[in-house]
Amino acid sequence: MTTRPREVVGPLERGLAVLEAVAAGDGGRRGLGDLARTTGLARSTVDRVATTLTVLGVLRAEGRDLLLAPGAAGLGNAYLDSCGLPALLGPHAAALAELLDEAVSLAVPDGDGVRFLAQANRRRAMAIAFRPGDLLPAAGCAPGALFAAGWDEERWTGHPDDAGFRARAARARERGVAVDDQLIEPGLVSVALPVRDPAGAVVCAVSVVSHTSRRDAGALEALALPPLRDTVAAMEAALATGPAPAPGPDPAPDPGGAAGSGAAGFKEELGSGFLQSLARGLDVLRAFGAVRGPARLTDLARLSGLPRATARRSLLTLCHLGYVREDADGFVPLPRVLALGHARLSALTLPEIATPHLVRLVRSVRESASVAVLDGDDIRYVARVAGSRLLHIDIVVGTRLPAYATSMGRVLLAALPEAERDARLGRLVPEALTPRTLTGAGELRGAVAATAERGFGWVEEELEEGLRSIAVPVRDGAGRVVAALNVALNAGRCSPEESLATLLPQLREASGRISADLAAVGRHTPVPTA
C-alpha cells in the first residue's frame, strides 16, 4: 500500500519505527536521543513509545538506553508460526546438516533482500553466523539469485546490477540451482535450491554453506547437490501433505510491576504515558501465531480480544508499513516482521536472558542470586549477581560445585528421569564437605526425591558452614528443566522458616519470568546455556 490510509494508527506506526530502530542498533541497543534523530520523531513521542514498549516487556531500559527484551520475540514468532516453514522444513534442514557436516539455511525473499528463517549449524571454531531474522541483499547471496530468477522486467527496472546479479539470476533460472562463490564475504561459499509449494511457487530456498578452508564452491556443489536435491524433494512432499495446526500465539509478555491486567490496566495506571493503541496493534500482530496461512479479520479480532473495527485499523496500519499483506483469503504476515529484533533475540544465551531478572531479584532480597546448569556430576554457574550486603557469598560465573551438596544441583538431579538419576547418584562417592553434608546413598536419594516432590531445593550448611541455599527449577518452552535458580545467604541471618517464607515466592516469580523469556526466545531456535 503506497498511499497512507486515513485509518492508519499513528501510535502503532511510531512504535514500530522505534522498535525497528532499536533492533537495528549495535547489539539491539539505542539511546533515547539517538532514537529521536534516527526516527525523526519528537523526543517526547519517543519517551511515550519507550514507556509503553518497556511496560509491555518488548524493550527494557538501561540508564538512558533502550534494549530489546525477550518479549519482542513473540512478534517474530507470530510470523514464523503462521508461515509454518521452520517447523515443517527445519527438521529436514537439520538432517542435511548432519549428513554433510555443513551448515544449512532456510531463507525467504523480503523485498530486495533475503531473510533467513532457520539455521542448522555445526560446532566449529569458524562457525557460520547467520541467525533467524538476518537480512542479506539479494544480489549478495545464492538464495537471492534463485528468487530474482522469477522477477519480471518491471521488477528489474531500476534495480542495480550489482556484480552481474541479473546474469547470475538468469543462470539460476536455467540451472535451477545457484552458487555463491564468496559474494557475501571472502571465504564463504554456498549452494542453494528453491523449494516449491504444490502450486509450483517458490516459497523458500535451502542452502548448504561452507568455508573455503574446507572446500571451494565447485567442490561444495559436487558434494552437496545430490543430497540437497533429495532434501528439497522431502521438503516439497511435506508441503504437499499440508502444515500442522498452528501452535497458538505467544502470550503477551508479562513484565510485571504495573497494576491492572493487560493494556487497559496499564492505561489506567500510566494515563497518557501509555499508548494503548500501540499495545493493541502488537496484540493483533501476535495473534497471527495462532493461524496457519491467511487469517480472517474476524479471527484476528477474536484472538486479540479486540473489537473488529479496532483490529481492522491495526491491520491496515501493518499492511501500510509492510509487515502484513492482504490477500483474497485474508491477511498474511510478511518476513519484515522479523526486522523487529528477531535476529538479535535469537542469538541470546541463557545468561543474557537470566541476568536482568537476577538483578531485579537481588535488589528485592539483597542476597546473592545465581543460575546454574548440570555439567556431569557438578553444577556450573552460568549467571550470577552478588548481593548488596557487606557479607555476601563470593562465587563467580564458571565455578563448578558438586551437585549432590548444592540446592541447585538437587533441583537439577530431581528433574532427571528416575533411571538416570539413580545411575548418577549410584556412581557418586560423596565427600563430607561439612559435618552436615549428606553422604549416604539412601540419604541423598531421599533428599533428591524430596526436592522433586516439593518443587524446590534446600541445602543447610552442607556445602559450607554457615551457608543456606534455596533453589527452584528454570524451564524451557517445552516444560523441561534446563537450569536452576537459587538465592544463597548466611544461615545465621534468620530462621529457616523465615527464609523460606520470604525468598521462595520471589524465587518462583523470578524463575517464571526467566522461563517465559526462554520459551519466547527458544520457540524456534535453541538457547545456548553459556
Short mmCIF file of all heavy atoms in Angstrom, two decimals, residues 349-403:
data_model
loop_
_atom_site.label_atom_id
_atom_site.label_comp_id
_atom_site.label_asym_id
_atom_site.label_seq_id
_atom_site.Cartn_x
_atom_site.Cartn_y
_atom_site.Cartn_z
N THR A 349 21.72 -15.82 24.87
CA THR A 349 22.07 -17.00 25.65
C THR A 349 21.29 -17.01 26.96
O THR A 349 20.70 -15.98 27.35
CB THR A 349 23.57 -17.02 25.96
OG1 THR A 349 23.88 -15.88 26.79
CG2 THR A 349 24.40 -16.95 24.69
N LEU A 350 21.30 -18.14 27.62
CA LEU A 350 20.64 -18.24 28.93
C LEU A 350 21.15 -17.18 29.91
O LEU A 350 20.34 -16.53 30.58
CB LEU A 350 20.81 -19.65 29.49
CG LEU A 350 20.36 -19.87 30.94
CD1 LEU A 350 18.88 -19.57 31.11
CD2 LEU A 350 20.66 -21.32 31.36
N PRO A 351 22.48 -16.97 30.04
CA PRO A 351 22.92 -15.92 30.96
C PRO A 351 22.40 -14.53 30.61
O PRO A 351 22.03 -13.76 31.50
CB PRO A 351 24.46 -15.98 30.84
CG PRO A 351 24.75 -17.37 30.41
CD PRO A 351 23.61 -17.76 29.51
N GLU A 352 22.34 -14.21 29.31
CA GLU A 352 21.85 -12.89 28.90
C GLU A 352 20.36 -12.75 29.23
O GLU A 352 19.90 -11.67 29.62
CB GLU A 352 22.08 -12.68 27.42
CG GLU A 352 23.54 -12.51 27.04
CD GLU A 352 23.75 -12.46 25.55
OE1 GLU A 352 23.22 -13.34 24.83
OE2 GLU A 352 24.47 -11.55 25.09
N ILE A 353 19.61 -13.82 29.07
CA ILE A 353 18.18 -13.77 29.38
C ILE A 353 17.96 -13.68 30.89
O ILE A 353 17.11 -12.92 31.36
CB ILE A 353 17.49 -15.02 28.81
CG1 ILE A 353 17.45 -14.95 27.28
CG2 ILE A 353 16.07 -15.17 29.37
CD1 ILE A 353 16.97 -16.22 26.61
N ALA A 354 18.75 -14.42 31.66
CA ALA A 354 18.51 -14.51 33.10
C ALA A 354 19.00 -13.30 33.87
O ALA A 354 18.40 -12.93 34.89
CB ALA A 354 19.19 -15.77 33.64
N THR A 355 20.09 -12.67 33.43
CA THR A 355 20.74 -11.65 34.26
C THR A 355 19.83 -10.49 34.64
O THR A 355 19.82 -10.07 35.82
CB THR A 355 22.01 -11.15 33.56
OG1 THR A 355 22.94 -12.23 33.46
CG2 THR A 355 22.66 -10.02 34.35
N PRO A 356 19.03 -9.89 33.75
CA PRO A 356 18.15 -8.80 34.20
C PRO A 356 17.19 -9.24 35.31
O PRO A 356 16.88 -8.45 36.21
CB PRO A 356 17.40 -8.41 32.93
CG PRO A 356 18.28 -8.84 31.81
CD PRO A 356 18.94 -10.10 32.29
N HIS A 357 16.75 -10.48 35.26
CA HIS A 357 15.85 -10.98 36.30
C HIS A 357 16.60 -11.22 37.61
O HIS A 357 16.04 -11.01 38.69
CB HIS A 357 15.17 -12.26 35.82
CG HIS A 357 14.33 -12.07 34.59
ND1 HIS A 357 13.13 -11.41 34.61
CD2 HIS A 357 14.57 -12.43 33.30
CE1 HIS A 357 12.63 -11.38 33.38
NE2 HIS A 357 13.47 -11.99 32.57
N LEU A 358 17.86 -11.64 37.51
CA LEU A 358 18.67 -11.78 38.72
C LEU A 358 18.90 -10.42 39.37
O LEU A 358 18.84 -10.30 40.60
CB LEU A 358 20.02 -12.42 38.38
CG LEU A 358 20.02 -13.88 37.91
CD1 LEU A 358 21.46 -14.35 37.68
CD2 LEU A 358 19.34 -14.78 38.92
N VAL A 359 19.17 -9.41 38.56
CA VAL A 359 19.37 -8.06 39.10
C VAL A 359 18.14 -7.61 39.88
O VAL A 359 18.23 -7.10 41.00
CB VAL A 359 19.69 -7.07 37.96
CG1 VAL A 359 19.64 -5.63 38.46
CG2 VAL A 359 21.05 -7.38 37.36
N ARG A 360 16.98 -7.84 39.28
CA ARG A 360 15.73 -7.44 39.93
C ARG A 360 15.50 -8.22 41.22
O ARG A 360 15.09 -7.65 42.25
CB ARG A 360 14.57 -7.67 38.96
CG ARG A 360 13.21 -7.33 39.52
CD ARG A 360 12.16 -7.55 38.44
NE ARG A 360 10.82 -7.38 38.99
CZ ARG A 360 9.71 -7.55 38.29
NH1 ARG A 360 9.79 -7.88 37.01
NH2 ARG A 360 8.53 -7.39 38.84
N LEU A 361 15.80 -9.51 41.20
CA LEU A 361 15.62 -10.35 42.39
C LEU A 361 16.56 -9.90 43.51
O LEU A 361 16.16 -9.79 44.68
CB LEU A 361 15.87 -11.82 42.03
CG LEU A 361 15.82 -12.84 43.16
CD1 LEU A 361 14.43 -12.87 43.80
CD2 LEU A 361 16.20 -14.23 42.63
N VAL A 362 17.81 -9.64 43.18
CA VAL A 362 18.80 -9.24 44.18
C VAL A 362 18.44 -7.88 44.78
O VAL A 362 18.62 -7.66 45.99
CB VAL A 362 20.21 -9.23 43.56
CG1 VAL A 362 21.22 -8.55 44.49
CG2 VAL A 362 20.65 -10.66 43.26
N ARG A 363 17.93 -6.99 43.97
CA ARG A 363 17.50 -5.69 44.51
C ARG A 363 16.40 -5.87 45.54
O ARG A 363 16.30 -5.10 46.50
CB ARG A 363 17.01 -4.79 43.38
CG ARG A 363 18.13 -4.19 42.54
CD ARG A 363 17.57 -3.40 41.38
NE ARG A 363 18.62 -2.83 40.55
CZ ARG A 363 18.43 -2.35 39.33
NH1 ARG A 363 17.21 -2.38 38.78
NH2 ARG A 363 19.44 -1.86 38.64
N SER A 364 15.58 -6.88 45.33
CA SER A 364 14.46 -7.10 46.25
C SER A 364 14.89 -7.79 47.53
O SER A 364 14.50 -7.39 48.63
CB SER A 364 13.38 -7.92 45.54
OG SER A 364 12.32 -8.24 46.41
N VAL A 365 15.70 -8.86 47.40
CA VAL A 365 16.03 -9.67 48.58
C VAL A 365 17.38 -9.30 49.20
O VAL A 365 17.68 -9.74 50.31
CB VAL A 365 16.00 -11.17 48.23
CG1 VAL A 365 14.64 -11.56 47.68
CG2 VAL A 365 17.11 -11.55 47.25
N ARG A 366 18.22 -8.58 48.45
CA ARG A 366 19.54 -8.13 48.90
C ARG A 366 20.52 -9.28 49.12
O ARG A 366 21.58 -9.10 49.69
CB ARG A 366 19.43 -7.27 50.17
CG ARG A 366 18.64 -5.99 50.00
CD ARG A 366 18.70 -5.15 51.25
NE ARG A 366 20.08 -4.78 51.58
CZ ARG A 366 20.51 -4.55 52.80
NH1 ARG A 366 19.70 -4.68 53.86
NH2 ARG A 366 21.78 -4.22 53.02
N GLU A 367 20.17 -10.46 48.67
CA GLU A 367 21.05 -11.62 48.77
C GLU A 367 21.55 -11.99 47.37
O GLU A 367 20.95 -11.63 46.36
CB GLU A 367 20.32 -12.82 49.39
CG GLU A 367 19.64 -12.55 50.71
CD GLU A 367 20.62 -12.39 51.88
OE1 GLU A 367 21.84 -12.49 51.65
OE2 GLU A 367 20.16 -12.15 53.01
N SER A 368 22.64 -12.74 47.29
CA SER A 368 23.19 -13.16 46.01
C SER A 368 22.26 -14.17 45.33
O SER A 368 21.66 -15.03 46.00
CB SER A 368 24.57 -13.79 46.21
OG SER A 368 25.46 -12.85 46.77
N ALA A 369 22.16 -14.08 44.02
CA ALA A 369 21.33 -14.99 43.24
C ALA A 369 22.12 -15.50 42.05
O ALA A 369 22.94 -14.78 41.48
CB ALA A 369 20.05 -14.30 42.77
N SER A 370 21.87 -16.75 41.66
CA SER A 370 22.65 -17.39 40.61
C SER A 370 21.77 -18.30 39.77
O SER A 370 20.70 -18.75 40.21
CB SER A 370 23.79 -18.23 41.20
OG SER A 370 24.58 -17.50 42.11
N VAL A 371 22.26 -18.60 38.57
CA VAL A 371 21.68 -19.62 37.71
C VAL A 371 22.79 -20.60 37.36
O VAL A 371 23.91 -20.20 37.04
CB VAL A 371 21.06 -19.01 36.44
CG1 VAL A 371 20.67 -20.11 35.44
CG2 VAL A 371 19.85 -18.16 36.78
N ALA A 372 22.48 -21.90 37.42
CA ALA A 372 23.47 -22.94 37.12
C ALA A 372 22.84 -24.03 36.28
O ALA A 372 21.61 -24.20 36.27
CB ALA A 372 24.05 -23.53 38.39
N VAL A 373 23.69 -24.77 35.56
CA VAL A 373 23.25 -25.91 34.77
C VAL A 373 24.00 -27.14 35.25
O VAL A 373 25.06 -27.03 35.89
CB VAL A 373 23.49 -25.69 33.26
CG1 VAL A 373 22.67 -24.51 32.76
CG2 VAL A 373 24.97 -25.47 32.97
N LEU A 374 23.48 -28.30 34.93
CA LEU A 374 24.14 -29.55 35.29
C LEU A 374 25.24 -29.84 34.28
O LEU A 374 25.03 -29.78 33.07
CB LEU A 374 23.11 -30.68 35.31
CG LEU A 374 23.49 -31.97 36.05
CD1 LEU A 374 23.76 -31.69 37.52
CD2 LEU A 374 22.36 -32.99 35.91
N ASP A 375 26.42 -30.13 34.78
CA ASP A 375 27.58 -30.41 33.92
C ASP A 375 28.29 -31.63 34.49
O ASP A 375 29.10 -31.53 35.41
CB ASP A 375 28.51 -29.20 33.90
CG ASP A 375 29.59 -29.31 32.83
OD1 ASP A 375 29.73 -30.40 32.24
OD2 ASP A 375 30.29 -28.31 32.58
N GLY A 376 27.95 -32.81 33.97
CA GLY A 376 28.46 -34.05 34.56
C GLY A 376 27.84 -34.25 35.93
O GLY A 376 26.63 -34.16 36.11
N ASP A 377 28.69 -34.48 36.94
CA ASP A 377 28.22 -34.64 38.31
C ASP A 377 28.29 -33.34 39.09
O ASP A 377 28.06 -33.33 40.30
CB ASP A 377 29.05 -35.71 39.02
CG ASP A 377 28.82 -37.09 38.45
OD1 ASP A 377 27.72 -37.33 37.91
OD2 ASP A 377 29.74 -37.93 38.51
N ASP A 378 28.60 -32.25 38.39
CA ASP A 378 28.70 -30.93 39.03
C ASP A 378 27.61 -30.01 38.52
O ASP A 378 26.95 -30.27 37.51
CB ASP A 378 30.06 -30.29 38.71
CG ASP A 378 31.23 -31.06 39.27
OD1 ASP A 378 31.04 -31.76 40.30
OD2 ASP A 378 32.33 -30.97 38.70
N ILE A 379 27.48 -28.88 39.21
CA ILE A 379 26.75 -27.76 38.64
C ILE A 379 27.79 -26.74 38.18
O ILE A 379 28.87 -26.64 38.74
CB ILE A 379 25.76 -27.11 39.63
CG1 ILE A 379 26.49 -26.57 40.87
CG2 ILE A 379 24.67 -28.07 40.01
CD1 ILE A 379 25.65 -25.62 41.71
N ARG A 380 27.44 -26.00 37.13
CA ARG A 380 28.32 -24.94 36.63
C ARG A 380 27.53 -23.64 36.61
O ARG A 380 26.47 -23.56 35.99
CB ARG A 380 28.84 -25.29 35.24
CG ARG A 380 29.68 -24.20 34.59
CD ARG A 380 30.38 -24.74 33.36
NE ARG A 380 29.49 -25.48 32.48
CZ ARG A 380 28.72 -24.91 31.55
NH1 ARG A 380 28.71 -23.60 31.42
NH2 ARG A 380 27.95 -25.67 30.79
N TYR A 381 28.06 -22.62 37.28
CA TYR A 381 27.40 -21.32 37.34
C TYR A 381 27.51 -20.63 35.99
O TYR A 381 28.60 -20.47 35.44
CB TYR A 381 28.03 -20.45 38.42
CG TYR A 381 27.65 -20.82 39.83
CD1 TYR A 381 28.14 -21.97 40.43
CD2 TYR A 381 26.78 -20.01 40.57
CE1 TYR A 381 27.79 -22.32 41.73
CE2 TYR A 381 26.42 -20.34 41.87
CZ TYR A 381 26.92 -21.51 42.44
OH TYR A 381 26.57 -21.84 43.72
N VAL A 382 26.36 -20.20 35.44
CA VAL A 382 26.36 -19.51 34.14
C VAL A 382 25.92 -18.06 34.25
O VAL A 382 26.14 -17.27 33.33
CB VAL A 382 25.47 -20.25 33.12
CG1 VAL A 382 26.01 -21.65 32.84
CG2 VAL A 382 24.02 -20.31 33.58
N ALA A 383 25.30 -17.68 35.35
CA ALA A 383 24.91 -16.29 35.58
C ALA A 383 24.85 -16.05 37.08
O ALA A 383 24.45 -16.94 37.84
CB ALA A 383 23.55 -15.98 34.94
N ARG A 384 25.25 -14.85 37.48
CA ARG A 384 25.29 -14.56 38.92
C ARG A 384 25.27 -13.06 39.14
O ARG A 384 25.88 -12.29 38.41
CB ARG A 384 26.54 -15.16 39.56
CG ARG A 384 26.64 -14.87 41.06
CD ARG A 384 27.67 -15.75 41.70
NE ARG A 384 27.87 -15.39 43.10
CZ ARG A 384 27.08 -15.75 44.09
NH1 ARG A 384 26.02 -16.49 43.84
NH2 ARG A 384 27.34 -15.38 45.34
N VAL A 385 24.54 -12.65 40.20
CA VAL A 385 24.55 -11.26 40.65
C VAL A 385 24.76 -11.29 42.15
O VAL A 385 24.02 -11.96 42.88
CB VAL A 385 23.23 -10.54 40.31
CG1 VAL A 385 23.20 -9.14 40.93
CG2 VAL A 385 23.06 -10.46 38.78
N ALA A 386 25.79 -10.59 42.62
CA ALA A 386 26.11 -10.59 44.06
C ALA A 386 25.13 -9.73 44.83
O ALA A 386 24.60 -8.75 44.32
CB ALA A 386 27.54 -10.10 44.26
N GLY A 387 24.92 -10.12 46.09
CA GLY A 387 24.04 -9.36 46.96
C GLY A 387 24.67 -8.04 47.40
O GLY A 387 25.86 -7.79 47.20
N SER A 388 23.85 -7.19 48.01
CA SER A 388 24.31 -5.86 48.39
C SER A 388 24.79 -5.79 49.83
O SER A 388 25.21 -4.73 50.29
CB SER A 388 23.17 -4.86 48.19
OG SER A 388 22.02 -5.23 48.96
N ARG A 389 24.74 -6.91 50.55
CA ARG A 389 25.16 -6.88 51.95
C ARG A 389 26.69 -6.90 52.04
O ARG A 389 27.38 -7.37 51.14
CB ARG A 389 24.58 -8.07 52.71
CG ARG A 389 23.06 -8.10 52.74
CD ARG A 389 22.56 -9.26 53.57
NE ARG A 389 21.12 -9.41 53.47
CZ ARG A 389 20.24 -8.74 54.22
NH1 ARG A 389 20.68 -7.88 55.12
NH2 ARG A 389 18.94 -8.94 54.07
N LEU A 390 27.21 -6.40 53.16
CA LEU A 390 28.66 -6.42 53.36
C LEU A 390 29.17 -7.85 53.35
O LEU A 390 30.23 -8.16 52.80
CB LEU A 390 29.03 -5.74 54.68
CG LEU A 390 28.79 -4.22 54.74
CD1 LEU A 390 29.12 -3.70 56.14
CD2 LEU A 390 29.64 -3.51 53.70
N LEU A 391 28.41 -8.76 53.96
CA LEU A 391 28.78 -10.18 53.96
C LEU A 391 27.91 -10.88 52.93
O LEU A 391 26.71 -11.05 53.13
CB LEU A 391 28.55 -10.79 55.35
CG LEU A 391 28.90 -12.28 55.50
CD1 LEU A 391 30.39 -12.52 55.22
CD2 LEU A 391 28.53 -12.77 56.90
N HIS A 392 28.52 -11.25 51.78
CA HIS A 392 27.76 -11.97 50.76
C HIS A 392 28.59 -13.12 50.23
O HIS A 392 29.80 -13.21 50.46
CB HIS A 392 27.34 -11.03 49.62
CG HIS A 392 28.50 -10.41 48.88
ND1 HIS A 392 29.00 -9.17 49.18
CD2 HIS A 392 29.26 -10.88 47.85
CE1 HIS A 392 30.01 -8.88 48.38
NE2 HIS A 392 30.18 -9.90 47.56
N ILE A 393 27.95 -14.01 49.51
CA ILE A 393 28.60 -15.22 49.02
C ILE A 393 29.42 -14.87 47.77
O ILE A 393 28.90 -14.29 46.82
CB ILE A 393 27.54 -16.29 48.67
CG1 ILE A 393 26.52 -16.42 49.82
CG2 ILE A 393 28.22 -17.61 48.39
CD1 ILE A 393 27.14 -16.69 51.17
N ASP A 394 30.70 -15.21 47.76
CA ASP A 394 31.61 -14.80 46.69
C ASP A 394 31.90 -15.98 45.77
O ASP A 394 32.79 -16.79 46.01
CB ASP A 394 32.91 -14.26 47.30
CG ASP A 394 33.78 -13.59 46.26
OD1 ASP A 394 33.25 -13.28 45.17
OD2 ASP A 394 34.98 -13.38 46.52
N ILE A 395 31.11 -16.10 44.70
CA ILE A 395 31.27 -17.14 43.68
C ILE A 395 31.20 -16.46 42.32
O ILE A 395 30.42 -15.51 42.15
CB ILE A 395 30.18 -18.23 43.80
CG1 ILE A 395 30.34 -19.00 45.12
CG2 ILE A 395 30.22 -19.19 42.63
CD1 ILE A 395 29.23 -20.00 45.38
N VAL A 396 31.98 -16.91 41.36
CA VAL A 396 32.00 -16.29 40.05
C VAL A 396 31.40 -17.23 39.00
O VAL A 396 31.34 -18.45 39.20
CB VAL A 396 33.43 -15.88 39.64
CG1 VAL A 396 34.00 -14.87 40.61
CG2 VAL A 396 34.34 -17.10 39.55
N VAL A 397 30.97 -16.64 37.87
CA VAL A 397 30.47 -17.44 36.75
C VAL A 397 31.56 -18.39 36.28
O VAL A 397 32.74 -18.03 36.17
CB VAL A 397 30.02 -16.52 35.61
CG1 VAL A 397 29.74 -17.32 34.35
CG2 VAL A 397 28.79 -15.72 36.02
N GLY A 398 31.19 -19.62 36.01
CA GLY A 398 32.15 -20.65 35.61
C GLY A 398 32.53 -21.58 36.74
O GLY A 398 33.06 -22.67 36.49
N THR A 399 32.24 -21.18 37.99
CA THR A 399 32.55 -22.03 39.15
C THR A 399 31.77 -23.34 39.04
O THR A 399 30.61 -23.37 38.67
CB THR A 399 32.18 -21.31 40.45
OG1 THR A 399 32.98 -20.14 40.58
CG2 THR A 399 32.40 -22.21 41.66
N ARG A 400 32.44 -24.44 39.39
CA ARG A 400 31.80 -25.75 39.43
C ARG A 400 31.76 -26.22 40.88
O ARG A 400 32.75 -26.08 41.62
CB ARG A 400 32.56 -26.76 38.58
CG ARG A 400 32.61 -26.42 37.11
CD ARG A 400 33.60 -27.30 36.39
NE ARG A 400 33.16 -28.68 36.37
CZ ARG A 400 32.56 -29.28 35.34
NH1 ARG A 400 32.33 -28.60 34.24
NH2 ARG A 400 32.20 -30.55 35.40
N LEU A 401 30.63 -26.78 41.28
CA LEU A 401 30.47 -27.32 42.63
C LEU A 401 29.78 -28.68 42.51
O LEU A 401 29.01 -28.92 41.56
CB LEU A 401 29.63 -26.39 43.50
CG LEU A 401 30.24 -25.02 43.83
CD1 LEU A 401 29.23 -24.15 44.55
CD2 LEU A 401 31.51 -25.17 44.66
N PRO A 402 30.00 -29.56 43.47
CA PRO A 402 29.36 -30.88 43.40
C PRO A 402 27.83 -30.76 43.50
O PRO A 402 27.31 -30.11 44.41
CB PRO A 402 29.94 -31.63 44.58
CG PRO A 402 30.48 -30.58 45.50
CD PRO A 402 30.90 -29.45 44.64
N ALA A 403 27.14 -31.39 42.56
CA ALA A 403 25.69 -31.26 42.52
C ALA A 403 25.03 -31.81 43.77
O ALA A 403 24.02 -31.27 44.25
CB ALA A 403 25.15 -31.97 41.28
#
